[in-house]
Amino acid sequence: MITSPPSALRPVFATRVLTGDRPTGQLHLGHFFGTLHTRVLLQEQGIDLFVVIADYQTVTDRDSPRSLPYDVEELVADYLAVGIDPTRATIFAHSLVPELNQLLLPFLSLATLPELLRNPTVKEEATASGMTALNGLMLTYPVHQAADILFCKGTLVPVGSDQLPHLEQTRAIARRFNRRYAQEGPVFPEPEALLSEAPALLGIDGRKMSKSRHNAIALAASADETARLLRAATTDSNPHIAYDPDHRPEVSNLVLLTALCEETDPGQVAEEIGARGAAELKRRATKAVNERLRPIRERRAQLINDRGQLRAILREGSTAAREIAQHTLAQVSTAMHTNY
Ligand code: TRP
C-alpha cells in the first residue's frame, strides 16, 4: 500500500530568495530603500539570491521597445552597483530561461478566472496604462510571476506591498500543484513575502515614486540633477519642519528620505531643521542623498563603460538559472505523467 510519507520525511525547502524588476528604465531611491537594500543584506548573510529581469512583464502594457537591450544592461549595472554580487547571486532574464516560461502552462490550469480578474494590482496597472481591453498577458502575468518564484523553489520574496496579491496567487498555485500532483511530498514551497520595514518613499511631487510619473530620483542621476529635482520638490505652506506623515506627507517624505540616507531617525532630522524651513530641508536632503549614493554612482559609472561584461554576467546567470529550471520542469513532468 502506498501512503504519503510522514511530515518529518517530506523535503524541507532551503531558504532561497527570489525577486526581480521589470527592465523599464533605471532603478530609483524607492527601489533602493524598498528592496535592493534587503537583497544585499540577505546576500551578505550567505542566503541564495536569485534576481529576475522580468522582460516578459514589460509587454503587459506596451510594445517591446528597441531600447530593451540597453534597458536590461542599465538594470544589471544598477544591481551590481548597489552590491549584488554575481559570484554569489544569480541574475537572469525571462527570455533566456525557456523552461521557466514553460511552467506557465501547467500553472495556468491551477489559477481560476475569478481570482485573476480580482487581482487589485493587475486592475490598477490596466487602468493606469489606459488599456481599453485587458490583454491575456496582463491578466495572467501573476501566474508567470509564480513561475519566476517557483522554478527555483524560492521561499522568500522581498517585495513592495503592491506585489502581495501576486504572492498569494503563487502560494495558491504551489499548494494546488502539490495537492493535485505531488503525492510523494511537495514539489514546491509556499513562499513568503518579505516587506521592507522602511515606510514607502514618495516621489518629489508627493505621489508614489515611479519612473512613469517622472517624480523619481534615479540611483544613476548626477549630484546636480539630484539637487535640481529636490529643489523642485513639493512642500507646504507651514514654515516649521516637522515629521508628520499623515498631515504633512510631502515635507515628511523629504525628512524620511534624509533620515534613511543618514541612517538616523526622521523625528530627529525634523527637530534639527525646525524653524529653518523647507529650503534648509531640501539642502540637507540633497547632501544626504548625494553622499549616500556617491560610492554606488562611482561604481555604476565604471560598470556601464563595459556593456559587454554586463551582458556576459546576465548570460552566465541565465545559464545557471536554466539548469535549475530544467531540473524543476523534469520534476513537474514526472508528477504530471508527461515524461514519455
Ligand atoms: N512584478 C514585479 C514588479 O513589477 C517584478 C517581478 C517580476 C517580480 N517577477 C518577480 C518581483 C518575482 C518578485 C518576484 O516590480
Side-chain angles (χ1 to χ4, degrees):
M1 188 177 74
I2 300 169
T3 55
S4 55
S7 58
L9 295 180
R10 294 210 190 110
V12 180
F13 295 97
T15 303
R16 184 167 268 189
V17 176
L18 176 296
T19 185
D21 304 277
R22 298 178 183 189
T24 50
Q26 297 170 337
L27 296 180
H28 53 62
L29 283 170
H31 297 114
F32 184 68
F33 291 112
T35 84
L36 291 174
H37 199 57
T38 315
R39 297 179 198 181
V40 176
L41 284 177
L42 291 165
Q43 170 192 273
E44 295 308 317
Q45 285 171 24
I47 296 173
D48 247 5
L49 172 65
F50 284 71
V51 185
V52 58
I53 293 186
D55 53 358
Y56 280 159
Q57 272 192 24
T58 61
V59 290
T60 48
D61 66 350
R62 66 193 80 186
D63 296 341
S64 181
R66 233 177 242 288
S67 63
L68 194 54
Y70 176 91
D71 297 336
V72 167
E73 290 157 8
E74 294 287 311
L75 196 49
V76 177
D78 279 332
Y79 289 157
L80 303 188
V82 298
I84 295 177
D85 170 5
T87 66
R88 288 181 281 170
T90 307
I91 302 172
F92 66 99
H94 282 150
S95 290
L96 297 176
V97 187
E99 293 81 2
L100 180 163
N101 300 313
Q102 198 173 330
L103 287 174
L104 175 63
L105 211 146
F107 285 3
L108 278 172
S109 74
L110 301 167
T112 71
L113 189 57
E115 73 192 357
L116 291 172
L117 288 168
R118 248 192 333 259
N119 187 310
T121 299
V122 169
K123 279 198 221 170
E124 256 171 51
E125 287 168 339
T127 308
S129 75
M131 218 174 249
T132 46
L134 201 60
N135 70 52
L137 184 60
M138 179 61 106
L139 180 67
T140 59
Y141 90 78
V143 181
H144 191 254
Q145 186 156 326
D148 295 346
I149 299 168
L150 295 177
F151 93 93
C152 67
K153 311 198 177 180
T155 59
L156 206 56
V157 187
V159 280
S161 54
D162 61 323
Q163 299 294 305
L164 291 178
H166 303 347
L167 215 71
E168 256 336 290
Q169 181 73 71
T170 301
R171 292 166 60 81
I173 288 171
R175 201 164 47 239
R176 290 169 195 162
F177 186 94
N178 290 339
R179 203 179 295 144
R180 204 177 290 182
Y181 296 113
Q183 275 79 24
E184 286 163 30
V187 171
F188 295 115
E190 283 186 50
E192 311 268 351
L194 184 61
L195 286 174
S196 162
E197 276 171 32
L201 271 182
L202 305 174
I204 56 167
D205 57 359
R207 298 184 300 158
K208 182 181 175 199
M209 191 183 284
S210 85
K211 282 170 278 203
S212 55
R213 294 192 175 96
H214 305 290
N215 63 1
I217 298 172
L219 297 180
S222 68
D224 285 350
E225 206 177 336
T226 303
R228 188 175 54 73
L229 286 165
L230 285 169
R231 258 197 311 276
T234 310
T235 50
D236 56 35
S237 55
N238 183 339
H240 192 95
I241 299 306
Y243 185 62
D244 181 0
D246 288 341
H247 302 104
R248 302 181 63 192
E250 296 96 348
V251 162
S252 300
N253 184 58
L254 292 175
V255 171
L256 173 66
L257 173 59
T258 307
L260 287 170
C261 289
E262 292 179 355
E263 295 181 318
T264 51
D265 173 64
Q268 193 185 327
V269 171
E271 205 168 298
E272 283 165 17
I273 296 173
R276 290 165 29 190
E280 174 61 19
L281 173 61
K282 290 179 177 183
R283 264 193 299 278
R284 171 119 170 224
T286 302
K287 183 159 178 277
V289 171
N290 284 338
E291 275 181 18
R292 182 76 169 82
L293 293 185
R294 185 182 308 119
I296 293 173
R297 286 169 170 169
E298 284 172 5
R299 229 171 309 152
R300 196 182 187 287
Q302 295 245 311
L303 289 159
I304 211 73
N305 276 331
D306 192 351
R307 290 178 174 267
Q309 174 68 10
L310 296 172
R311 290 242 205 148
I313 286 169
L314 179 64
R315 275 196 304 270
E316 258 174 55
S318 300
T319 302
R322 197 165 177 199
E323 272 171 33
I324 295 170
Q326 282 165 346
H327 182 75
T328 302
L329 189 60
Q331 283 183 315
V332 165
S333 294
T334 302
M336 295 181 74
H337 320 292
T338 56
N339 60 338
Y340 359 92

